[in-house]
Amino acid sequence: MATGTPARTPIRWQVGRLVQRRVETPSAQTLVLEVPDWSGHLPGQHVDLRLTSSDGYQAARSYSVAGPVVDGPGGPRIEVTVQRVPDGEVSPYLTDTYREGDPVEVRGPLGGWFIWRPEETAPVQLLAGGSGIVPLMAMIRARRLVGNRVPFRLLYSVRTPTDVIYADELRRRVRDDFGLDVAYVYTREVPEGWRGEPHRIGLADVNTHGWPPDLEPLTYVCGPTGFVETVADLLVGLGHPSRRVKTERFGPTG
């Protein structure tokens, strides 16, 4: 495996094929795509996936890359995690119809702001809402891959315990990845034996599970628009400089 630092080549559409899928939650799946001409990417970047119907109609959506590039027998492989959106145009096809060996057009890597570079030395706080965990998980995976010892703290807000994407891996990484802490906020249903009631993320959660401003952490916030705006306001209110709070939000399209 390699982090795959992007080469300076023109970004164009190329054909990838599905080689594996993993079910993450009842509504989310990770798709492993083999993209022979992939130039590499940084943690936090995303790709566009484009589908073309038999009548020539095209639909494209953006998805965060979920981890480092992997060398496969047919070329480089990347992972994207897709949350199925009811009545969506692209995500239902990718989760329900797309089969191993089928093609999909891929363009990327895209995005140069919401990235974490493995040579960074500042502590990192990650705040995810729902499927906003995907680019943050890419950062967690890259950290372990390169042996970076910078401390990471993840605060992950989900509706219920069954909505936690990468649940088993996160449990394993908390145990095995030195310096990684993970905390959860449940908005609708809490696990059995959980102390506390379901609630939306608030000041106490961010203050308790994040880094204090005087440590000058790098902060990444990803999730639905309302979640991102609320969390960013809380962080700035706690004294974190806005220039060190990087945000990425997504809408309801699928």
Side-chain angles (χ1 to χ4, degrees), residues 35 38 63 108 116 156 158 165 168 180 195 201 235 244 254:
V35 188
W38 189 248
Y63 294 99
W116 177 74
Y156 188 7
V158 291
I165 301 174
D168 291 340
L180 171 65
R195 293 183 179 180
I201 196 166
L235 288 163
R244 295 185 71 81

Side-chain angles (χ1 to χ4, degrees), residues 1-4 22 30 41-46 63-69 78-81 114-118 124 126 128 131-146 148 152 154 165-166 169-170 173 177 180 220 222 248:
M1 296 179 67
T3 54
R22 298 193 301 271
T30 292
H41 61 274
L42 291 168
Q45 289 189 298
H46 62 277
Y63 294 99
S64 296
V65 185
V69 65
I78 62 171
E79 297 184 4
V80 297
T81 300
F114 195 82
I115 58 173
W116 177 74
R117 298 182 182 276
V124 173
L126 311 170
S131 60
I133 184 64
V134 179
L136 308 186
M137 192 65 177
M139 299 175 190
I140 291 172
R141 289 168 169 168
R143 171 185 180 270
R144 173 59 183 265
L145 179 65
V146 301
N148 188 300
F152 269 41
L154 167 66
I165 301 174
Y166 316 125
E169 182 178 352
L170 283 170
R173 288 188 177 278
D177 290 13
L180 171 65
Y220 299 86
C222 186
E248 186 166 272

Side-chain angles (χ1 to χ4, degrees), residues 4-28:
T5 301
R8 291 185 177 274
T9 57
I11 296 175
R12 58 183 176 82
W13 289 104
Q14 54 186 302
V15 177
R17 294 186 183 274
L18 181 67
V19 294
Q20 183 184 358
R21 87 169 57 236
R22 298 193 301 271
V23 175
E24 303 289 356
T25 73
S27 62

Side-chain angles (χ1 to χ4, degrees), residues 46-131:
H46 62 277
V47 296
D48 288 340
L49 300 185
R50 185 167 69 182
L51 305 173
T52 303
S53 65
S54 57
D55 63 2
Y57 175 75
Q58 294 183 323
R61 295 291 184 273
S62 294
Y63 294 99
S64 296
V65 185
V69 65
V70 178
D71 290 328
R77 296 180 175 186
I78 62 171
E79 297 184 4
V80 297
T81 300
V82 178
Q83 182 91 47
R84 191 185 194 281
V85 178
D87 302 322
E89 190 174 28
V90 173
S91 63
Y93 175 85
L94 292 175
T95 57
D96 301 344
T97 306
Y98 191 43
R99 294 290 178 261
E100 288 190 18
D102 287 352
V104 65
E105 288 185 280
V106 182
R107 183 174 65 180
L110 304 170
W113 164 250
F114 195 82
I115 58 173
W116 177 74
R117 298 182 182 276
E119 61 268 24
E120 294 281 1
T121 58
V124 173
Q125 53 186 359
L126 311 170
L127 299 102
S131 60

